[in-house]
């Protein structure tokens, strides 16, 4: 997928997201800064993300607050600040949200890694269950996963 430009005004956010097909992500701030909330991959994280996607109040819910609540089974959220000139690598399978304190210009991109086929397939399942697969899927994603599994089986 091509990189995206993120241009924000002060005190805005981009809601919690699972990158397409649970891919790895890079985020680079060229001006300003943003606070990035991160949640590691786990079955409970995926369940909570699926519930969040189906929530009628989703537009008014700041998901990192809900995800960090251990009372609802959250795994805990880690927050880092990406300042001007910094680049953040978000590992495959990690969900994240961005909060922009001031005017910020950033670039973001996603890429698949061959060592995380299981994570990619778990994300595919959640996206399909929520009707998002066509909107957020890499071209030929499913076929590519099965081709990789075939190559690995042949190597055994």
């Amino acid at each position: 997928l091509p990189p995206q430009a993120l241009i924000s005004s002060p005190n805005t956010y981009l809601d919690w997201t699972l990158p397409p097909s649970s891919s790895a992500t890079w985020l680079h701030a060229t001006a300003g800064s943003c606070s990035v909330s991160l949640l590691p991959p786990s079955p409970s994280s995926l369940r909570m993300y699926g519930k969040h996607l189906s929530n009628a109040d989703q537009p008014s819910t700041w998901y990192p607050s809900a995800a960090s609540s251990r009372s609802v089974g959250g795994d805990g959220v880690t927050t880092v600040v990406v300042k001007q000139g910094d680049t953040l690598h978000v590992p495959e399978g990690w969900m994240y949200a961005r909060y922009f304190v001031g005017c910020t210009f950033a670039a973001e991109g996603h890429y698949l890694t061959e060592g995380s086929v299981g994570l990619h397939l778990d994300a595919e399942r959640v996206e399909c269950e929520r009707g998002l697969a066509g909107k957020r899927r890499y071209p030929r994603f499913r076929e590519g996963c099965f081709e990789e599994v075939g190559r690995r089986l042949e190597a055994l």
Side-chain angles (χ1 to χ4, degrees):
L1 296 177
Q4 302 171 352
L6 306 173
I7 303 170
S8 72
S9 56
N11 299 314
T12 58
Y13 72 91
L14 291 171
D15 197 11
W16 205 252
T17 186
L18 178 62
S21 305
S22 194
S23 57
T25 301
W26 58 266
L27 173 70
H28 178 78
T30 57
S33 64
C34 65
S35 174
V36 181
S37 298
L38 302 155
L39 187 63
S42 71
S44 64
S45 296
L46 279 174
R47 277 193 306 277
M48 287 184 68
Y49 178 67
K51 288 180 185 177
H52 177 65
L53 293 175
S54 302
N55 185 350
D57 294 329
Q58 180 187 1
S60 62
T61 304
W62 178 235
Y63 182 66
S65 299
S68 63
S69 170
R70 299 233 181 244
S71 64
V72 292
D75 290 324
V77 172
T78 300
T79 301
V80 298
V81 175
V82 180
K83 298 178 183 174
Q84 182 174 338
D86 290 347
T87 300
L88 174 68
H89 168 80
V90 180
E92 56 276 340
W94 285 60
M95 292 171 259
Y96 64 99
R98 288 124 315 164
Y99 176 77
F100 305 96
V101 178
C103 291
T104 304
F105 182 76
E108 174 179 280
H110 308 284
Y111 58 96
L112 294 172
T113 59
E114 72 174 46
S116 301
V117 173
L119 284 173
H120 302 317
L121 291 174
D122 286 344
E124 167 84 1
R125 180 184 46 77
V126 169
E127 291 165 356
C128 287
E129 288 172 358
R130 304 298 179 211
L132 297 173
K135 300 174 186 173
R136 301 185 42 79
R137 186 182 296 155
Y138 277 89
R140 291 193 72 251
F141 168 74
R142 186 175 289 172
E143 295 87 351
C145 284
F146 286 112
E147 288 168 9
E148 178 64 21
V149 168
R151 282 192 291 274
R152 289 173 184 236
L153 287 173
E154 286 177 11
L156 293 176

